[in-house]
């Protein structure tokens, strides 16, 4: 009787000792950490999306993979949930764990980018933001596919996708990864690649945060292309005009276009009810003198006289332009927003029907015209002829969307970007999506993009992870049996 009893007591006492000692243990290890009550605690635990307020148990700033391991061993011993934060741009504050009481590992001190100019590879530590990475690579005349906003962190971006205007040519950010250096739930430092833990390597390219804390990724880089021309065409269309324009674009994308053309359609509130601003923004990365011939078949079928802006330049200049003028993330502070967004990935095999296009356009030109909710829509081009994203096999990585034409983002923000976000905004954004899905075939095989993460998405397992979800759960039980990395829309352990 005495033995188990004292064991239990011993365990309890040591747990409490560790808990009270967490501050001391982290300090001993030279790891900066911010606890509730510390003067900068509120600032440091403020997410990008001000719609969320969470109280982390601690925000620690590891300097090395070994520090990450130490912190995870401590929290594992205490049965706490842990999470990594890279750029902090999660739409639902998952960089803080998506709940209170989480051990947050802020990766900002792991900020090296090491380029190997002979192998054309780079090792990118997880505290880097996209702007810093682009600057580091451009010194070597190299590039990587990734999103446009310089402040987005590589940690989340490369875990769940990573789309930019070069993605039709180079793939998603996660497609460039050849190895992932990470720390597992129990503190084990591991590398996942095709040769080592290949099952884990599969899982991290699409859902890394459910399996460990990535300290760095090894990527292949690409030579800067011969040009980087940003083209923008804008029309004011009525409902039928927009329904037709979407059809024109869908057909153009499937007409044998080269991989060097990429971009998105942006939709905004029109000047009068019944109208929509239809804006195409794209990048051309082939020889400069071939841009006109490439876009001519599209423009020929669109209404005459779009407002046109062509921004010529080389590749580096195009990255700077798309970033809004600067890639530097150190001199100016990042901004915040207060917003709600959803996404919809449309199947290339079943393009948006006339019915869906018309209903969507009707909603935008009317309901979305009269609402006081602020919104914009982006239809990012993932597919089309010669898309590198869709050239990857459907089961080659955990990323479950290799047959999408568009990733549509429906974004709505509070006035002035500050709280409160209007409650009726949720139903409004739901209706935007429904205008398409409710007017599409019954088993329309659409998905959702996990980097535009939405904690109100009911069938998120299927929409984000598709047919890969059951296999991901098996791997979750293998690599994180206790669910140390548990957060909204993360892979769940199987019920036992
Ligand atoms: C202004 C803005 C512009 C954007 N533009 C684009 C775009 O052009 N293209 C595009 O594809 N996406 C875009 N996104 C979406 C963006 O890719 C995601 O929000 C992304 O997940 C943010 O990554 P982060 O590291 O900044 O965020 P964080 O909040 O730090 O992390 C997001 C998620 O990843 C996890 N994570 C972070 N670091 C690690 C790590 N080291 N190891 C394991 N898990 C980790 C976190 O725990 C969290 O679950 C944009 C987002 C914003 C806010
Ligand atoms: C660990 O915490 C989880 C909830 O986060 C709980 O379900 C589980 O029982 C705990 N395990 C132990 C050993 O305390
Ligand atoms: C391309 O078309 C634009 C008009 O859209 C024209 O001004 C420009 O001269 C053309 N460029 C070439 C190289 O033909
Ligand atoms: C791209 O243009 C910028 C600005 O003109 C210039 O500094 C840079 O050297 C150019 N890059 C290449 C690869 O030509
Ligand atoms: C840590 O977890 C990994 C993956 O599940 C496992 O292979 C390893 O044996 C574990 N290490 C310890 C010390 O438990």
């Amino acid at each position: 009787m005495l033995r188990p009893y004292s064991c239990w007591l011993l365990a309890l006492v040591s747990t409490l000792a560790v808990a009270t000692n967490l501050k001391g243990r982290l300090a001993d290890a030279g790891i900066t950490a911010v606890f509730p009550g510390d003067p900068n605690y509120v600032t440091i635990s403020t997410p990008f999306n001000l719609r969320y307020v969470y109280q982390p148990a601690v925000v620690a700033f590891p300097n090395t993979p070994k520090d990450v391991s130490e912190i995870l061993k401590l929290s594992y011993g205490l049965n706490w949930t842990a999470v990594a934060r890279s750029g902090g741009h999660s739409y639902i504050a998952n960089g803080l764990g998506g709940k209170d009481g989480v051990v947050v590992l802020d990766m900002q001190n792991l900020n090296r980018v090491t380029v190997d100019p002979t192998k054309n590879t780079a090792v990118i530590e997880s505290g880097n933001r996209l702007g810093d990475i682009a600057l580091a690579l451009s010194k070597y005349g190299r590039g990587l596919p990734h999103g446009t906003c310089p402040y987005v962190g590589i940690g989340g971006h490369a875990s769940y996708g990573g789309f930019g205007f070069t993605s039709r040519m180079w793939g998603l950010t996660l497609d460039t990864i050849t190895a992932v250096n990470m720390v597992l739930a129990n503190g084990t430092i591991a590398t996942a690649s095709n040769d080592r833990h290949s099952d884990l390597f599969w899982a991290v390219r699409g859902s890394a945060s459910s399996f460990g804390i990535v300290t760095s990724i090894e990527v292949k880089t690409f030579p800067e292309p011969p040009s980087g021309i940003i083209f923008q065409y804008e029309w004011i269309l009525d409902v039928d005009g927009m329904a037709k324009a979407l059809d024109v674009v869908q057909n153009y994308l499937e007409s044998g276009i080269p991989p060097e053309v990429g971009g998105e359609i942006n939709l905004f509130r029109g000047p009068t009810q019944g109208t929509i601003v239809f804006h195409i923004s794209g990048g051309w990365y082939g020889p400069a003198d071939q841009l006109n011939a490439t876009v001519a078949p599209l423009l020929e079928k669109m209404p005459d006289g779009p407002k046109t802006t062509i921004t010529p330049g080389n590749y580096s200049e195009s990255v700077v332009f798309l970033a809004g003028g600067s890639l530097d993330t150190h001199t100016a502070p990042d901004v915040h927003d207060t917003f709600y967004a959803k996404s919809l990935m449309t199947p290339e095999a079943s393009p948006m029907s006339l019915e869906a296009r018309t209903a969507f356009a009707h909603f935008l030109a009317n309901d979305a015209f009269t609402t006081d909710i602020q919104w914009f829509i982006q239809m990012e081009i993932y597919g089309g002829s010669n898309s590198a994203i869709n050239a990857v096999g459907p089961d080659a990585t955990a990323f479950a969307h290799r047959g999408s034409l568009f990733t549509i983002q429906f974004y709505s923000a509070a006035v002035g970007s500050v709280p409160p976000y209007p409650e009726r905004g949720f139903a409004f954004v739901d209706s935007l999506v429904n205008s398409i899905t409710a007017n599409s075939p019954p088993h329309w095989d659409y998905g959702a993009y996990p980097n535009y993460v939405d904690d109100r998405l009911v069938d998120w397992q299927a929409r984000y992870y598709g047919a890969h979800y059951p296999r991901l759960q098996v791997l979750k039980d293998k690599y994180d049996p206790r669910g140390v990395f548990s957060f909204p829309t993360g892979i769940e352990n199987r019920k036992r």
Side-chain angles (χ1 to χ4, degrees), residues 50-68:
L50 299 174
R51 199 158 61 75
Y52 294 88
V53 178
Y54 290 124
Q55 316 285 325
V58 55
V59 181
F61 297 84
N63 297 304
T64 61
K66 193 165 168 296
D67 287 352
V68 173

Side-chain angles (χ1 to χ4, degrees), residues 283-331:
W284 169 246
Y285 303 102
D289 61 2
Q290 287 173 28
L291 168 65
N292 281 6
T294 305
V295 296
L298 171 68
L299 296 178
E300 273 163 18
K301 295 207 165 60
M302 292 290 289
D304 286 339
K307 190 173 136 197
T308 301
T309 312
I310 308 290
T311 308
N314 62 34
Y315 173 74
S316 292
E317 290 171 309
S318 75
V319 179
V320 173
F321 178 80
L322 290 174
S326 171
L327 294 170
D328 174 24
T329 63
H330 298 283
T331 39

Side-chain angles (χ1 to χ4, degrees), residues 48 83-84 86-90 94 126 147-148 153 155-157 163 209 214 449 451:
F48 175 79
V83 77
S86 174
H89 275 57
S90 168
N94 267 350
S126 298
T148 54
H157 201 62
F163 169 88
S209 357
V214 176
Y449 179 41
N451 255 335

Side-chain angles (χ1 to χ4, degrees), residues 48 83-91 93-97 107 126 146-149 151-157 159-164 208-210 212-215 339 380 382 411 449-452 487:
F48 175 79
V83 77
R85 178 170 66 180
S86 174
H89 275 57
S90 168
Y91 281 16
N94 267 350
L96 295 170
M107 307 300 284
S126 298
H146 56 70
T148 54
C149 173
Y151 288 92
V152 166
I154 192 68
H157 201 62
S159 291
Y160 292 104
F163 169 88
S209 357
S210 290
I213 294 200
V214 176
T215 52
F339 67 104
E380 296 164 338
Y382 272 52
Y411 191 103
Y449 179 41
N451 255 335
Y452 297 154
F487 52 90

Side-chain angles (χ1 to χ4, degrees), residues 231-235 278-280 295 299 306-310:
F231 54 88
Q232 291 165 304
Y233 304 108
E234 187 174 298
W235 295 263
F278 190 96
H279 176 106
I280 294 177
V295 296
L299 296 178
K307 190 173 136 197
T308 301
T309 312
I310 308 290

